[in-house]
Amino acid sequence: MLFTSFTFVVFLVAFFCVYWLVSSPLKLQNLIVFAASYLFYGWWDWRFLSLIFASTLVDYLVGIMIYRTPNVGHKRRYLWISIIFNLCLLGFFKYFNFFIDSSIHVLSALGFHPNIHTLNIILPVGISFYTFQTMSYSLDIYKNKFKPTTDFIAFGAFVSFFPQLVAGPIERASNLLPQFLNKRKFDFEKAADGCRQILWGLVKKMLIADSIAPYVNDIFTNYHSYSSSTLLIGVFLFSFQIYGDFSGYSDIAIGVAKLFGFELKMNFNFPYFSKNIGDFWKRWHISLSSWLNDYVFTPLAVEFRHFGKNGLYGALLLTFLISGLWHGAGWNFIFWGGLHGLFYIPLIYGKKRFKSIASNKKLQSKKYASWRDLPSILITFILVNFTYIF
């Protein structure tokens, strides 16, 4: 069910009416969100509902067990249940065929011809988002940053909340889950603001991204027939297409959530006004970059601290490689992530101390730049566009 489809409009209007007619009790309201979100997700393929329910159930139970268990060793074992389960779920459905194909190519290059075959696996929509969201819940409980809930319906609604289920933002339990545990009342001003954000998201998605897409697709499909200047134009057009598509969906998700009394985190903050690659990742897909910083880069940086700055560079590069793999199961995505990592390293080369990829304290980057920032903005924009080619 696409945000831009007529089916979604009917679904949204019907859900809006039912949701606000049932303003109490809170559990019933959350149950309606839970059921509507599963209807929304099951519209793609009802078989995938078992996967999101399994991920929800595992992390719900793991969170409670981590919190109630005094033994640190046992806490760590429960945490690994969550991590292994979610990564196996994600790994099988998204990366199984990629790793099989890669293994076949490597073995063939070495002179071996293994009788290994890929599987006809359908990629479940949104699996990269909800597995990361549930994992962060268990990790935050393990780090004593958050207390688990015993309300399964509220937790299930948090994991499957339909506005941000398919394309983000990746919400933290500390922000979104408490909103399911507190009474919500209709706020006309918030709803009106949500409608404005939905409209702006539709403009980005339908008027900008979808209008550019045919030209970009034609240029990249028939690249051998066009001049270098046309190919260059295609690359720049693609940057606006992907921004309009991705940030448009995020705006629609944030706006829809406001209609029901929820506040989601900002996911894009004028990324093409960034002055360097570091600034770009504070503005582009903020929910993912902050997630990778907290749960991948920081632990790796601590683990590699004995290697000094080389360890820091390694942690940074590995984080960006994982970021590329998260975006897609292909070497082109890994290469794209690796380039961003390489472009990031010079920013920290001469610094005595480096804390994070996208420090939460610095996410509110300056929206508007001065003329003095124009050269660095243009250089950053060109570097980002260069990575888009791959």
Side-chain angles (χ1 to χ4, degrees):
M1 195 184 301
L2 297 172
F3 283 165
T4 54
S5 67
F6 179 74
T7 305
F8 178 74
V9 174
V10 174
F11 166 81
L12 184 62
V13 172
F15 175 53
F16 181 86
C17 295
V18 173
Y19 177 84
W20 286 117
L21 285 173
V22 184
S23 57
S24 62
L26 180 62
K27 279 185 177 289
L28 181 56
Q29 198 177 48
N30 285 338
L31 181 60
I32 292 172
V33 176
F34 191 25
S37 297
Y38 269 61
L39 174 63
F40 172 84
Y41 192 68
W43 201 268
W44 301 87
D45 192 325
W46 64 269
R47 293 172 296 177
F48 295 154
L49 291 174
S50 59
L51 300 179
I52 190 172
F53 183 80
S55 182
T56 301
L57 181 61
V58 166
D59 282 282
Y60 171 76
L61 296 174
V62 164
I64 293 174
M65 295 306 296
I66 290 174
Y67 184 74
R68 292 180 178 177
T69 304
N71 186 284
V72 177
H74 292 167
K75 285 178 183 286
R76 190 177 294 111
R77 291 192 191 100
Y78 288 127
L79 176 64
W80 275 110
I81 291 174
S82 169
I83 294 173
I84 292 172
F85 177 82
N86 283 291
L87 290 183
C88 285
L89 199 67
L90 183 62
F92 177 76
F93 283 95
K94 190 170 183 177
Y95 302 111
F96 181 83
N97 283 340
F98 166 67
F99 288 123
I100 291 295
D101 282 333
S102 298
S103 300
I104 291 172
H105 287 309
V106 171
L107 291 173
S108 297
L110 295 174
F112 300 98
H113 301 284
N115 187 23
I116 306 174
H117 302 283
T118 57
L119 301 178
N120 186 22
I121 300 173
I122 302 174
L123 177 64
V125 177
I127 191 171
S128 299
F129 291 91
Y130 68 73
T131 50
F132 270 33
Q133 190 156 305
T134 56
M135 265 197 300
S136 66
Y137 172 77
S138 299
L139 285 161
D140 284 346
I141 295 171
Y142 177 78
K143 295 177 180 179
N144 294 318
K145 293 182 177 180
F146 193 78
K147 292 183 179 180
T149 179
T150 56
D151 187 338
F152 180 75
I153 297 300
F155 182 72
F158 152 72
V159 174
S160 63
F161 190 40
F162 74 91
Q164 47 87 221
L165 176 61
V166 174
I170 302 171
E171 280 292 335
R172 305 292 182 89
S174 56
N175 175 57
L176 185 56
L177 185 54
Q179 298 182 56
F180 282 100
L181 302 175
N182 295 314
K183 183 71 175 178
R184 299 177 295 277
K185 294 182 180 180
F186 181 74
D187 185 330
F188 179 81
E189 291 295 328
K190 181 181 285 189
D193 185 52
C195 288
R196 284 191 291 269
Q197 193 153 3
I198 292 171
L199 182 59
W200 179 230
L202 289 171
V203 168
K204 286 181 178 179
K205 174 68 178 74
M206 301 181 74
L207 293 185
I208 299 176
D210 291 353
S211 297
I212 294 174
Y215 300 102
V216 173
N217 292 339
D218 178 61
I219 290 171
F220 277 91
T221 302
N222 304 294
Y223 63 90
H224 54 278
S225 303
Y226 289 108
S227 64
S228 57
S229 58
T230 303
L231 297 179
L232 189 61
I233 292 171
V235 172
F236 288 130
L237 285 177
F238 177 70
S239 68
F240 291 104
Q241 179 198 346
I242 194 172
Y243 172 72
D245 195 84
F246 204 177
S247 69
Y249 257 88
S250 289
D251 283 333
I252 296 171
I254 295 168
V256 169
K258 287 181 179 179
L259 294 179
F260 303 100
F262 294 92
E263 289 284 349
L264 301 181
K265 294 289 188 180
M266 178 193 294
N267 209 23
F268 291 85
N269 185 18
F270 299 87
Y272 292 150
F273 286 95
S274 304
K275 291 175 285 186
N276 53 57
I277 292 295
D279 191 29
F280 176 79
W281 281 103
K282 294 171 191 173
R283 298 167 176 265
W284 178 275
H285 205 345
I286 297 170
S287 63
L288 175 65
S289 59
S290 62
W291 197 100
L292 290 171
N293 170 68
D294 293 345
Y295 304 113
V296 179
F297 172 75
T298 300
L300 286 175
V302 172
E303 190 70 23
F304 298 163
R305 64 186 183 277
H306 301 298
F307 298 99
K309 276 206 169 182
N310 289 331
L312 190 63
Y313 301 150
L316 183 69
L317 190 58
L318 187 55
T319 301
F320 274 105
L321 291 173
I322 291 171
S323 172
L325 190 60
W326 182 90
H327 280 84
W331 286 105
N332 56 324
F333 287 100
I334 296 174
F335 195 74
W336 166 81
L339 282 174
H340 274 274
L342 290 174
F343 293 156
Y344 205 123
I345 287 176
L347 299 177
I348 59 174
Y349 178 74
K351 294 184 178 180
K352 294 182 179 179
R353 193 175 180 185
F354 181 67
K355 292 183 178 180
S356 66
I357 291 176
S359 172
N360 291 330
K361 295 179 181 179
K362 298 180 181 179
L363 286 180
Q364 298 298 324
S365 299
K366 186 174 64 174
K367 290 184 179 181
Y368 305 105
S370 66
W371 287 105
R372 288 177 295 181
D373 298 322
L374 187 59
S376 57
I377 290 172
L378 289 175
I379 291 172
T380 304
F381 183 66
I382 290 170
L383 289 176
V384 169
N385 274 266
F386 177 71
T387 66
Y388 283 149
I389 296 171
F390 303 94

